[in-house]
Amino acid sequence: MDKNKVCIIGLGYIGLPTAALLANRGFNVHGVDVKKSIIDTINNGDIHIVEPDLDEYVKKAVESGHLKASLQPVGSDVFIVAVPTPFHDGYIPNIDYIIDATKKIAPFIEDGNIIILESTSPVGTTEKMQSVLKEEGVDISNI
């Protein structure tokens, strides 16, 4: 099965380099972020973070048409969640961004899709994503 379309949620220090790398390898990558300024910057072939040589990779990926960014996910073969996981007071992991990203991709999930959680997260987070998808009406038995 060809898995050519990739949707990456979170275009920070992990998501953006991953998106650029995959796009420059021929994958059709749709990046998603919550900040319009980040979306606009990336779609202009520029970057909003400091990472050696990333500016060249992003520019090449955007110019090739393999990398596009927006505020909303799209149907894809593979979904990669790479959002921040800050701490609540008392160093309690905050997975709110992961839950929000999971809800956003839920309408686009189809049988056979691959969902990858890249965000640093506590044990049990993938099971929580699974329950969120189920609550959102996604049949997770074939995912």
Side-chain angles (χ1 to χ4, degrees), residues 24-89:
N24 282 314
R25 297 283 186 213
F27 290 89
N28 293 310
V29 180
H30 183 86
V32 178
D33 205 277
V34 295
K35 294 183 181 175
K36 186 167 183 342
S37 61
I38 291 173
I39 299 303
D40 293 342
T41 298
I42 293 168
N43 284 333
N44 285 328
D46 296 319
I47 61 173
H48 63 288
I49 57 178
V50 178
E51 188 68 39
D53 300 323
L54 181 61
D55 55 341
E56 295 171 26
Y57 282 152
V58 169
K59 183 178 178 77
K60 182 179 172 187
V62 170
E63 287 177 351
S64 73
H66 287 286
L67 175 60
K68 294 182 175 115
S70 77
L71 295 168
Q72 297 297 322
V74 297
S76 296
D77 303 309
V78 179
F79 293 87
I80 300 174
V81 176
V83 296
T85 50
F87 288 106
H88 289 295
D89 290 339

Side-chain angles (χ1 to χ4, degrees), residues 81 97-107 129 132-133 136:
V81 176
Y97 296 132
I98 295 171
I99 301 306
D100 185 56
T102 303
K103 288 179 180 178
K104 284 184 177 176
I105 65 172
M129 289 176 70
V132 167
L133 288 171
E136 296 291 317

Side-chain angles (χ1 to χ4, degrees), residues 102 109-113 115 126-127 129-143:
T102 303
I109 302 297
E110 297 178 355
D111 286 354
N113 284 161
I115 302 170
T126 53
E127 287 83 2
M129 289 176 70
Q130 187 176 22
S131 67
V132 167
L133 288 171
K134 194 171 185 178
E135 290 168 10
E136 296 291 317
V138 178
D139 177 8
I140 55 173
S141 61
N142 291 322
I143 297 174

